[in-house]
Amino acid sequence: ASTYAGLLNDQSYGVIRAASSALGQTKSPIAYDALVKLFDQQSWHDTVKASALAGLAALGDKRALDFALKYSDKSNFTSLRASAIRAVGLLGKDDARSFALLSDSLESAFHRGDLSLIVAGSEALTNLGDPRAIELFDRLAKEPDANPNYVGVLVGYQDRLRKATAGETKPANP
């Protein structure tokens, strides 16, 4: 964990991203504070903040949910929002705000044609495990002007969620 924490100061965004995820996966007591410090760093399109959220999601510390909710806002770069949305799906299972935020984000992304956020929102809703998302996936997939590529994404995640809620747990790419 201390090696990964040291790599959070690297100049390469790729190294920081990999170190953030690895540090979170260690579940080390030093991980939370080290990852939270990344929110103070400036980077192109908030790449470092997105890495921090990915690491915090891997860590599974519920304290990180407030960061995920904050950075899921539309005023943020798409890559940061996608990372935040994924984190909400992993960290927000017991928080009433999560489903509403994720379903609104997915629906908005679907209507704007933002594939990155469609995938992030679908993955997050599947990880959240709320069966109400099955109905949302179905409703969006049946819209008359729906892009077939986007519908394919929704149907795939809908199938995963159906299996998970039926007891055949297969998490979406965490």
Side-chain angles (χ1 to χ4, degrees):
S2 61
T3 300
Y4 297 136
L7 291 171
L8 297 178
N9 297 315
D10 198 273
Q11 291 181 345
S12 167
Y13 293 153
V15 170
I16 294 169
R17 180 176 42 254
S20 295
S21 292
L23 179 58
Q25 291 171 16
T26 68
K27 309 293 187 200
S28 168
I30 69 165
Y32 182 82
D33 290 334
L35 291 166
V36 167
K37 287 180 185 174
L38 292 178
F39 290 118
D40 295 331
Q41 290 187 24
Q42 297 298 314
S43 61
W44 182 79
H45 284 228
D46 288 332
T47 303
V48 171
K49 287 179 178 131
S51 295
L53 284 165
L56 289 166
L59 181 62
D61 190 316
K62 299 285 186 187
R63 294 177 292 173
L65 180 60
D66 288 335
F67 290 107
L69 292 168
K70 173 183 176 180
Y71 290 111
S72 67
D73 185 73
K74 293 177 185 176
S75 65
N76 293 300
F77 290 107
T78 299
S79 58
L80 178 57
R81 288 186 65 208
S83 191
I85 287 167
R86 284 184 175 95
V88 170
L90 291 168
L91 301 170
K93 292 181 190 215
D94 300 321
D95 192 295
R97 301 171 290 179
S98 299
F99 182 79
L101 181 138
L102 295 175
S103 59
D104 289 348
S105 295
L106 175 60
E107 192 158 2
S108 176
F110 189 81
H111 290 124
R112 283 191 335 276
D114 187 330
L115 183 58
S116 175
L117 291 177
I118 291 170
V119 171
S122 298
E123 181 181 318
L125 282 164
T126 301
N127 284 328
L128 193 65
D130 190 319
R132 294 178 291 175
I134 294 170
E135 295 171 22
L136 174 63
F137 291 148
D138 193 49
R139 181 173 53 78
L140 291 175
K142 289 181 179 175
E143 288 191 2
D145 296 332
N147 180 319
N149 295 323
Y150 304 157
V151 170
V153 170
L154 295 178
V155 169
Y157 282 103
Q158 182 182 41
D159 289 345
R160 287 182 182 181
L161 182 56
R162 275 196 179 113
K163 288 176 185 175
T165 57
E168 299 175 31
T169 307
K170 181 179 178 184
N173 309 316

